[in-house]
């Protein structure tokens, strides 16, 4: 559950920044304190659904559209966690080798896909 709360908080921050809003501006539009918003964005405090909706509305974001985006964000977070789990105990050389290997596999897959389409 904690990961989901972090994903939501990160999404709010990313949406705010993408719209060029400061924490002060968004907090004022959503009628919450700047301190509360800062704590939400830094994962120091979970937000309630009422605050969540107020923040989305303050940024003119349709709620349905936002929830569709959140499904993608959760998948991205899960992938990052899986990759982190694989490399967390690697030294720098092992990490570099893994990245080089993944890049090679990706290139090979793309070439294979192109060849199979011909």
């Amino acid at each position: 559950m904690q990961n989901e709360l972090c994903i939501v908080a990160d999404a709010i921050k990313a949406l705010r920044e993408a719209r060029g809003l400061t924490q002060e501006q968004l907090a004022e539009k959503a009628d919450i304190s700047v301190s509360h918003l800062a704590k939400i964005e830094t994962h120091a405090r979970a937000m309630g659904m009422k605050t969540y909706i107020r923040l989305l509305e303050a940024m003119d974001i349709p709620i349905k559209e936002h929830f569709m985006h959140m499904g993608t964000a959760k998948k991205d977070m899960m992938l990052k966690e899986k990759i982190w789990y694989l490399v967390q105990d690697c030294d720098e050389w092992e990490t570099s080798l893994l990245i080089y290997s993944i890049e090679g596999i990706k290139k090979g897959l793309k070439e294979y896909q192109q060849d199979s389409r011909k």
Side-chain angles (χ1 to χ4, degrees), residues 87 90-103:
V87 300
C90 293
D91 62 26
E92 187 175 333
W93 180 82
E94 291 169 330
T95 302
S96 296
L97 186 58
L98 283 170
I99 290 171
Y100 181 75
S101 298
I102 291 169
E103 288 171 342

Side-chain angles (χ1 to χ4, degrees), residues 52-118:
Y52 184 46
I53 291 171
R54 285 164 71 175
L55 288 167
L56 292 175
E57 289 175 344
M59 293 186 282
D60 298 319
I61 298 169
I63 295 169
K64 181 179 178 182
E65 182 180 309
H66 179 68
F67 281 117
M68 288 173 31
H69 166 76
M70 290 305 299
T72 303
K74 184 173 180 178
K75 288 178 188 173
D76 290 346
M77 180 64 82
M78 289 171 53
L79 177 60
K80 288 176 185 176
E81 287 176 359
K82 286 179 182 177
I83 292 170
W84 172 247
Y85 177 77
L86 291 171
V87 300
Q88 68 182 343
D89 61 345
C90 293
D91 62 26
E92 187 175 333
W93 180 82
E94 291 169 330
T95 302
S96 296
L97 186 58
L98 283 170
I99 290 171
Y100 181 75
S101 298
I102 291 169
E103 288 171 342
I105 292 168
K106 178 181 173 184
K107 181 180 177 186
L109 287 171
K110 289 193 178 280
E111 289 172 358
Y112 175 78
Q113 287 175 337
Q114 289 175 349
D115 289 344
S116 67
R117 290 182 188 151
K118 292 179 181 179

